[in-house]
Amino acid sequence: HSCLIGETGRAALAYLKERHIKNATIQHFGLGYAPDGWTTLIEHLKAKGYREHDMLEAGVVKMRDNGTYFDAFIDRVMFPILDVRGNVIGFGGRIMTERANTGKYLNTAETLAFKKKENLFGLNFAKNDPSGTLLLMEGYMDVISLHQAGITNAVASLGTAFTPEQAAL
């Protein structure tokens, strides 16, 4: 989040503003920015005492064939993915600069805590909606926009397919 509201996140913040996302909504959903750089997150987390192997296990870095690590999210608007209790279990990132061999959206790799087929984006907020119903949206921005407009029962699957596990949830 600090990268989003700082100097490095100007383009990412402009993207959110172009989508009419208000500062209060950015704060509410904990939106952020992963700067352009291969080891920005690695360096930040190492300074906090984390090991690269732990970062790999958490799904926020990847390992090259030669055994070196690199950030999983580079130059992306970041969407924290929370479980129903409000714990951060993963991240989604929207690309800011077109790159070959990468999708527009990228989720954290599957981990012990994060299985995208078993979670819904926004459920931690939507569960409190008094309607007792959920509206299934396509993606993060749909959910965020509806919540900002006061429609707080919107959720989204974390991929292209809606799974039986998500329906049961």
Side-chain angles (χ1 to χ4, degrees), residues 3 8 28 30 32 43 50 61-62 81 97 108:
C3 289
T8 60
H28 180 71
E43 292 166 15
Y50 292 95
V61 304
K62 295 180 180 181
I81 300 168
T97 306
T108 298

Side-chain angles (χ1 to χ4, degrees), residues 18-137:
E18 287 169 13
R19 301 287 302 262
H20 305 287
I21 305 302
K22 298 175 184 174
N23 289 340
T25 304
I26 290 170
Q27 183 72 34
H28 180 71
F29 279 90
L31 304 183
Y33 173 66
D36 192 8
W38 292 103
T39 60
T40 306
L41 180 62
I42 292 171
E43 292 166 15
H44 174 75
L45 292 176
K46 282 173 96 173
K48 293 193 171 287
Y50 292 95
R51 297 176 305 148
E52 290 170 326
H53 178 74
D54 296 328
M55 297 175 214
L56 180 68
E57 291 290 314
V60 297
V61 304
K62 295 180 180 181
M63 186 171 33
R64 295 180 183 94
D65 291 339
N66 68 4
T68 61
Y69 297 91
F70 63 98
D71 293 355
F73 299 98
I74 298 169
D75 194 26
R76 290 178 183 265
V77 172
M78 298 301 296
F79 303 87
I81 300 168
L82 286 68
D83 66 13
V84 70
R85 292 172 300 282
N87 300 308
V88 176
I89 57 170
F91 296 93
R94 189 202 189 280
I95 197 164
M96 294 302 305
T97 306
E98 295 300 320
R99 293 180 188 253
N101 303 320
T102 188
K104 185 188 294 186
Y105 283 91
L106 177 68
N107 284 328
T108 298
E110 299 259 326
T111 67
L112 290 174
F114 177 65
K115 296 185 180 12
K116 68 181 184 177
K117 71 178 187 175
E118 296 176 2
N119 291 283
L120 293 166
F121 180 76
L123 186 59
N124 57 305
F125 298 125
K127 71 177 184 182
N128 299 319
D129 186 88
S131 71
T133 64
L134 296 176
L135 296 173
L136 182 61
M137 301 291 107

